[in-house]
Amino acid sequence: MIRKYTYGNPVETGAVIQKLPDETQPFSLMQLDETQDGIRLFLRMAREDAVYGLGEQVRGINKRGFTYISDALDDPQHTEGRHNLYGGHNFLILDRKKEPSFGIFVDDPSRTVFDIGETKLDELCIQAGPDCVIYTVEGESLKDIAKQFRELIGRSYIAPKWAFGYQQSRWGYACAADVREAVVGHHSRQIPLDAVYMDIDYMERYKDFTVDGEKFPDFAEFVSEMKAQGIHLVPIIDAGVKMEEGYPVYEEGMREHYFCTDADGKEFVAAVWPGKSLFPDVLNSKAREWFGGQYRFLMEQGIDGFWNDMNEPAVFYSERNLKKVMKELRSIEDDNLDLYAFWHLKGLVNGLENNPEDYRQFYHNMDGVKIRHDKVHNLYGYYMTKAAADAFEHIAPGKRTLLFSRSSYIGMHRYGGIWTGDNASWWSHLLLSIQQMPSLNLCGILYTGSDIGGFGCDTTQDLLMRWLEFGIFTPLMRNHSALGTREQEVYQFENTGDFRNIIRIRYGLLPYIYSEYMKAALDNEMYFRPLAFDYPQDAHAAQVEDQLMTGSSIMIAPVYRQNATGRYVYLPEPMMMVRMKSLEEKTCTVLEPGHHYVDIALEETVFFVKKNRMLPMAVLDEDVRNISGVDMERLEWIGFTDTEASYVLYDDDGISKQYAPKENWKKIVRTKEALDVTA
């Protein structure tokens, strides 16, 4: 059951697709106070209660014990002390053991605070603005609550099938030769690869919807050359448009008044990669249509995938704030700076970037309604991505285009996925990635993954290998690293054959991964789930923070500690452990319920199959280069049963949006004797 409560005069965010009447009875699931600062929700939690959700955030799967803030921020410091990351995902489920559980979605695109037992251990306090809509969801189980919420907000984005293949990216592929080198590096070692990403280097002086003709001559021909090798090129698009006379995007936007303005109606100027830039007013329908139309330039040259970046929006400095800071710096130029004066100096400079004051200095024209940016801050990345997705319906109708974003709000999941931003090559960030996946799925974001190996810092061979062994299971499987860091293409390391084996396991698992993703999207389910969702009566399952149910048949338990040669695994029921060093080298062992220590060598992938379920695996040829070489009909079936096991297999052409025909669905039943691989 879903109830809707409206307060003040809220902005229509587009997060919800179902039209519900406002509840006539007072809000009762939590104490609600309308204060001078806005809406305050309060509830006292029992010690055994757990809290799930909030999408992209730091810390564990159970969100108790910290304060989380929805206030989209460009900050690569994803440490335990960080309260906000790139998105605003204001949905949580309170799993109550002695009272009915429920979900709550606070539809407020401005800064929203969730104090989940930080100020006081057993108190949940949510602080929203005065203008918001609150939805409560009650159901029979955690899964039921999650499904109802997903139905409320609409079906998740579905990527083209090739986007489930292995993908390589690096900030620093500065020319066509660098991209070719990455492709040859994989293909010459028979490592499958489906896409190579183009970071800001491909642009002409960081201008959106341009290609540097010296670095990438004959770009359309280059795109065609890559496609002939089974490689899709995926360029980045940033939110800021460079101020430059003669640049058509800038001139058109100025002429039609499509950029955000200051309080006086003059274009708001802030710096990003190209220096002084303007922000398209993507909350204005005409400006959004115009900006989305710009993607045509690259699509007409053969591009069929994009990633949107810097769309919190990121601000290096605003023109106004820079002048203010420079004036103060000049005034203290000759001062003898003591400790506190020096800290003030550092604060002046560091405070230029993503300054909250800047977000209060510019405005949107939401189809005739002028609204200050900070009131709708969390919507910017969502509507930038919606602009692209809406345009694709006209530019390439009926065809799936890869699209994902850094910043997002609930509702954007209908238009694209996300990646989890600028993580680091830290073991703790591998664990963080594992823990973020079910929280993102809960908020509708299914096409997601983290930068495998870590974006910032220098990765190591063992970290990259362990990360890949988890990344096998994430829908977006992309190796991405920052300029100035160690080159981390898998062929840069010793024992390249081990990396090849891991990536080939991903391609072998694609019939399962793709099928489970599609079922989750089409049925409004979660692809990744905490154990507690599948085993609600198992008290210990709720304590497990580093294992995930993945699709209908398997549980994963990745290794995420440096130098570890194994790990403890908790099995809520009997499961078959599948141990793989390659597609051809695997062993299966049935383990009883309970705690087990499992040896897992660095080059091994281990996962667990549920009883009476099956896992389809593709039989690959040695020279498979990309997903087109995976025969979805040439399968072996891995299962664990005393009598018979079953599986519903989904497949389609991977490009069109015809998802529902009966021929896409097949129920497979095998007896114990008929299984290809069993314990």
Side-chain angles (χ1 to χ4, degrees):
M1 178 185 294
I2 301 176
R3 293 185 173 92
K4 175 186 176 184
Y5 303 85
T6 301
Y7 300 93
N9 186 28
V11 170
E12 175 51 62
T13 65
V16 167
I17 64 164
Q18 289 186 9
K19 301 299 181 184
L20 300 178
D22 279 307
E23 181 63 37
T24 57
Q25 298 299 314
F27 190 94
S28 60
L29 285 177
M30 301 175 68
Q31 178 182 322
L32 186 147
D33 299 316
E34 296 187 57
T35 70
Q36 185 176 359
D37 298 324
I39 302 299
R40 179 181 181 272
L41 297 164
F42 172 84
L43 181 141
R44 189 172 296 281
M45 299 178 289
R47 289 296 174 98
E48 63 272 18
D49 293 348
V51 179
Y52 300 104
L54 297 185
E56 184 183 43
Q57 277 290 0
V58 299
R59 302 204 176 203
I61 294 174
N62 181 356
K63 294 301 180 186
R64 286 194 67 159
F66 196 56
T67 295
Y68 307 88
I69 301 174
S70 288
D71 192 22
L73 179 66
D74 167 26
D75 191 332
Q77 302 303 316
H78 305 174
T79 59
E80 284 194 39
R82 167 58 57 204
H83 294 279
N84 50 326
L85 294 177
Y86 303 101
H89 307 131
N90 300 352
F91 176 66
L92 59 80
I93 292 179
L94 183 62
D95 180 15
R96 312 185 82 182
K97 306 305 181 184
K98 297 179 180 178
E99 297 183 56
S101 300
F102 65 89
I104 184 165
F105 171 43
V106 181
D107 193 3
D108 180 355
S110 65
R111 189 176 190 269
T112 308
V113 180
F114 298 82
D115 183 343
I116 310 178
E118 181 185 36
T119 301
K120 292 187 177 180
L121 186 64
D122 296 329
E123 291 184 0
L124 167 61
C125 184
I126 302 172
Q127 181 67 56
D131 304 309
C132 65
V133 182
I134 297 173
Y135 296 86
T136 61
V137 188
E138 298 171 84
E140 298 176 355
S141 65
L142 300 181
K143 280 187 173 182
D144 180 42
I145 293 169
K147 186 178 180 70
Q148 287 188 64
F149 177 67
R150 293 280 303 284
E151 290 171 345
L152 177 71
I153 61 176
R155 190 176 71 194
S156 298
Y157 162 78
I158 295 174
K161 191 184 288 185
W162 63 260
F164 290 81
Y166 182 59
Q167 306 178 52
Q168 176 60 45
S169 181
R170 180 171 176 83
W171 174 16
Y173 291 154
C175 60
D178 290 345
V179 175
R180 289 190 180 103
E181 181 181 341
V183 173
V184 170
H186 287 81
H187 283 174
S188 65
R189 296 164 176 86
Q190 293 187 311
I191 301 170
L193 182 69
D194 271 273
V196 175
Y197 283 70
M198 304 170 68
D199 211 311
I200 56 176
D201 313 274
Y202 82 92
M203 300 178 187
E204 178 190 320
R205 290 178 288 114
Y206 308 134
K207 294 188 293 185
D208 276 343
F209 311 112
T210 66
V211 176
D212 189 314
E214 292 185 5
K215 296 178 179 179
F216 293 89
D218 301 315
F219 185 65
E221 183 179 326
F222 179 56
V223 175
S224 180
E225 172 195 330
M226 290 293 103
K227 282 195 174 179
Q229 299 180 56
I231 300 297
H232 298 259
L233 296 179
V234 184
I236 198 169
I237 302 294
D238 288 330
V241 171
K242 181 178 175 65
M243 296 179 65
E244 181 178 279
E245 297 297 330
Y247 170 35
V249 180
Y250 166 72
E251 291 188 337
E252 289 172 16
M254 286 291 290
R255 183 172 62 249
E256 302 297 331
H257 306 290
Y258 286 152
F259 296 116
C260 295
T261 65
D262 62 18
D264 298 324
K266 184 179 179 182
E267 282 72 22
F268 174 75
V269 180
V272 208
W273 297 117
K276 291 183 179 180
S277 305
L278 304 178
F279 293 120
D281 188 358
V282 291
L283 272 63
N284 178 279
S285 59
K286 291 183 179 179
R288 187 165 60 250
E289 182 180 3
W290 164 77
F291 187 77
Q294 304 303 315
Y295 287 78
R296 182 183 295 273
F297 166 74
L298 290 164
M299 296 183 78
E300 287 180 343
Q301 298 180 73
I303 294 298
D304 52 8
F306 298 89
W307 48 315
N308 287 343
D309 195 14
M310 306 295 284
N311 53 359
E312 291 70 36
V315 173
F316 291 173
Y317 62 84
S318 69
E319 189 175 52
R320 177 182 298 183
N321 199 23
L322 180 63
K323 289 178 180 178
K324 177 182 174 182
V325 169
M326 293 301 295
K327 180 179 180 180
E328 186 165 355
L329 289 175
R330 284 190 290 269
S331 73
I332 61 175
E333 183 176 5
D334 298 320
D335 288 0
N336 178 11
L337 302 178
D338 62 13
L339 173 65
Y340 296 105
F342 177 68
W343 283 354
H344 177 64
L345 169 67
K346 289 177 64 178
L348 285 173
V349 177
N350 293 337
L352 283 170
E353 189 172 8
N354 302 316
N355 191 311
E357 183 60 32
D358 287 335
Y359 294 131
R360 293 189 284 270
Q361 298 299 324
F362 70 97
Y363 291 77
H364 297 273
N365 172 10
M366 292 187 70
D367 297 339
V369 178
K370 183 177 179 180
I371 188 164
R372 204 171 71 189
H373 174 79
D374 63 306
K375 304 295 184 183
V376 289
H377 174 65
N378 292 328
L379 293 181
Y380 196 89
Y382 166 7
Y383 276 87
M384 177 183 172
T385 300
K386 185 180 187 305
D390 288 347
F392 298 161
E393 292 296 320
H394 300 286
I395 300 169
K399 179 182 175 182
R400 299 182 224 172
T401 301
L402 174 61
L403 181 62
F404 59 93
S405 171
R406 190 169 74 178
S407 185
S408 60
Y409 184 80
I410 286 176
M412 198 209 79
H413 71 286
R414 300 192 297 272
Y415 304 101
I418 73 162
W419 90 103
T420 59
D422 296 346
N423 61 3
S425 299
W426 299 344
W427 290 92
S428 61
H429 277 185
L430 170 52
L431 174 60
L432 177 61
S433 176
I434 295 166
Q435 294 172 330
Q436 286 176 327
M437 293 300 109
S439 300
L440 286 165
N441 278 203
L442 192 58
C443 295
I445 301 166
L446 297 184
Y447 190 78
T448 185
S450 62
D451 287 343
I452 291 174
F455 176 73
C457 307
D458 292 331
T459 198
T460 59
Q461 181 170 328
D462 56 343
L463 175 59
L464 179 58
M465 193 166 288
R466 291 301 194 194
W467 212 315
L468 283 164
E469 288 161 2
F470 166 61
I472 284 172
F473 300 98
T474 59
L476 171 61
M477 186 187 185
R478 182 180 75 153
N479 180 336
H480 183 43
S481 53
L483 185 70
T485 63
R486 179 181 187 176
E487 293 179 334
Q488 66 183 46
E489 297 87 356
V490 296
Y491 57 78
Q492 304 285 0
F493 298 87
E494 296 179 334
N495 303 321
T496 302
D498 292 336
F499 286 105
R500 174 179 178 269
N501 286 337
I502 294 169
I503 294 169
R504 278 175 58 83
I505 290 171
R506 161 63 169 222
Y507 281 78
L509 282 167
L510 275 172
Y512 178 77
I513 292 168
Y514 186 70
S515 183
E516 293 302 310
Y517 181 93
M518 293 300 294
K519 287 186 284 186
L522 296 174
D523 295 338
N524 292 310
E525 306 283 359
M526 296 169 67
Y527 171 80
F528 285 120
R529 302 177 304 282
L531 268 61
F533 280 53
D534 284 43
Y535 303 97
Q537 303 306 317
D538 187 327
H540 189 76
Q543 299 296 312
V544 177
E545 291 269 314
D546 56 1
Q547 300 171 208
L548 300 176
M549 305 308 299
T550 305
S552 61
S553 297
I554 68 173
M555 181 186 76
I556 62 173
V559 176
Y560 56 87
R561 291 193 299 111
Q562 184 175 353
N563 300 320
T565 57
R567 57 159 293 166
Y568 284 96
V569 176
Y570 176 68
L571 302 184
E573 63 174 309
M575 291 187 182
M576 184 173 73
M577 179 175 66
V578 181
R579 182 187 299 275
M580 304 183 71
K581 286 193 174 181
S582 69
L583 278 177
E584 298 73 30
E585 187 179 357
K586 53 181 169 285
T587 60
C588 301
T589 309
V590 173
L591 300 179
E592 293 303 311
H595 299 270
H596 301 266
Y597 183 82
V598 179
D599 293 310
I600 306 174
L602 181 59
E603 68 277 9
E604 285 185 320
T605 298
V606 172
F607 55 88
F608 302 84
V609 180
K610 297 174 67 174
K611 189 171 185 178
N612 300 325
R613 303 292 174 88
M614 293 194 300
L615 177 71
M617 288 200 72
V619 179
L620 301 186
D621 295 331
E622 274 296 307
D623 59 351
V624 166
R625 285 189 164 198
N626 52 56
I627 204 167
S628 67
V630 179
D631 186 344
M632 296 286 189
E633 308 247 336
R634 188 180 166 200
L635 305 176
E636 67 175 9
W637 291 90
I638 298 174
F640 164 41
T641 181
D642 295 328
T643 54
E644 65 178 28
S646 65
Y647 184 77
V648 176
L649 180 69
Y650 177 93
D651 193 28
D652 57 27
D653 62 14
I655 291 295
S656 74
K657 297 183 178 181
Q658 301 301 314
Y659 310 123
K662 290 182 179 180
E663 57 266 26
N664 291 352
W665 305 81
K666 295 179 183 177
K667 184 174 182 179
I668 312 295
V669 179
R670 291 276 181 98
T671 64
K672 179 179 180 179
E673 293 73 24
L675 286 167
D676 299 307
V677 181
T678 189

